[in-house]
Amino acid sequence: MIDALEQFAPLPLQEGFDNAGLQVGLTEAEVSGALLCLDVTEAIVDEAIRRECNLIVAHHPLIFHKLAHVTGCNYVERAVVKAIKNDIVIVAMHTNMDNARGGVNYKIAGKMGLINVSFLGEQRTVEGVDGASGVVGEFAEPMEAQAFLSLLKERFGVACIQANELLQRPIRRVALCGGAGAFLLGDAIRVGADAFVTGEMHYHEFFGHEQEIQIAVIGHYQSEQYTNEIFRDIILSECPGVRCCMAETNTNPIHYI
């Protein structure tokens, strides 16, 4: 099953800073169930135990930085210990799944209703799979900026959006990158996008683009929350006998108060 995920989004497609792939455990055991999630926390491991899933497929790696020890002093170490004690395998499909054709950014574009979707940024091909860091697409009909922001709030369940001033022309061409995608803002402008959507950006990156492009920052978790659906569709297609469980635990650490 892990092979099916990696055929869809080969590990060499991941960025150099990343740590996608097998995180915890051994892969010889038969899969009793796969819990699909965005992040791995102790609560997610508890949910896997409760729902009798011995495999967790996550978007964000649990182990991102080197572990100098495993003593239970933080949530990462505690989740690793709990997973090992309960014979649970943890796999992460991160920037390789972001970058792959049909991956996270394509899923976001689909939720927005964009058509004619193509890659944004430097494109490369790994093991026969095309990839790039973002995508750009179009609405079938242009819409005003306020309607565009309202659409994002509705489709992604967003409490509020960080945006620059409202664009005074219709929005039709939209560039996007899930998660932390500010590095693609310049590419979005170069390809003539009317709007750029991502999960997070820094304060000073909003300056200087008034009436050039509509910036819409919807939240890291919110932008990538539908990644589970990609995992589910791959597994059901390639490994139809595997029981898939969409995580019920909300792991977003950011609250809007």
Side-chain angles (χ1 to χ4, degrees):
M1 197 198 74
I2 296 174
D3 288 343
L5 291 166
E6 293 184 359
Q7 286 173 7
F8 184 93
L11 292 180
L13 268 184
Q14 70 181 304
E15 302 297 335
F17 61 80
D18 204 2
N19 188 38
L22 180 64
Q23 300 264 292
V24 175
L26 306 175
T27 58
E28 288 82 3
E30 183 177 349
V31 179
S32 63
L35 183 67
L36 314 179
C37 60
L38 192 65
D39 311 285
V40 181
T41 62
E42 293 172 85
I44 285 289
V45 179
D46 287 336
E47 183 177 343
I49 296 168
R50 174 172 56 84
R51 300 179 73 177
E52 299 182 342
C53 295
N54 63 351
L55 172 65
I56 296 173
V57 181
H59 183 45
H60 295 139
L62 172 64
I63 303 174
F64 195 78
H65 302 291
K66 177 183 176 181
L67 292 179
H69 44 68
V70 183
T71 60
C73 68
N74 57 47
Y75 86 91
V76 173
E77 295 181 12
R78 290 191 293 271
V80 168
V81 170
K82 185 172 287 190
I84 291 174
K85 283 184 175 180
N86 289 276
D87 296 320
I88 293 174
V89 174
I90 299 175
V91 174
M93 295 281 113
H94 191 209
T95 52
N96 55 318
M97 189 61 73
D98 288 330
N99 295 343
R101 184 180 298 278
V104 176
N105 291 318
Y106 275 81
K107 174 62 72 172
I108 296 169
K111 293 294 182 180
M112 291 172 59
L114 300 180
I115 59 175
N116 302 325
V117 179
S118 59
F119 283 123
L120 176 72
E122 182 180 357
Q123 186 173 335
R124 60 189 187 277
T125 302
V126 174
E127 298 177 10
V129 177
D130 296 331
S133 297
V135 300
V136 60
E138 300 174 345
F139 288 116
E141 297 292 336
M143 65 179 69
E144 299 303 314
Q146 187 62 65
F148 170 68
L149 297 178
S150 296
L151 173 74
L152 293 177
K153 293 178 74 172
E154 184 270 322
R155 297 287 170 88
F156 296 93
V158 179
C160 60
I161 292 175
Q162 291 182 313
N164 57 347
E165 69 177 29
L166 291 181
L167 198 67
Q168 298 303 307
R169 67 173 189 271
I171 291 173
R172 183 162 197 164
R173 189 166 172 80
V174 180
L176 67 90
C177 178
F183 65 97
L184 283 175
L185 178 59
D187 293 270
I189 294 168
R190 279 190 288 274
V191 299
D194 301 305
F196 177 66
V197 179
T198 190
E200 57 182 273
M201 281 179 59
H202 293 299
Y203 173 80
H204 288 96
E205 292 169 323
F206 284 81
F207 280 103
H209 303 295
E210 298 80 10
Q211 299 310 313
E212 181 178 40
I213 191 168
Q214 181 71 67
I215 297 172
V217 178
I218 64 174
H220 197 125
Y221 178 93
Q222 289 87 344
S223 70
E224 298 180 331
Q225 62 185 296
Y226 300 115
T227 304
N228 294 355
E229 296 179 4
I230 306 172
F231 297 153
R232 178 199 62 198
D233 293 346
I234 295 170
I235 294 169
L236 292 180
S237 173
E238 301 301 322
C239 311
V242 174
R243 179 172 61 93
C244 290
C245 299
M246 308 289 269
E248 298 168 349
T249 304
N250 185 327
T251 57
N252 188 3
I254 299 173
H255 297 266
Y256 297 87
I257 299 173

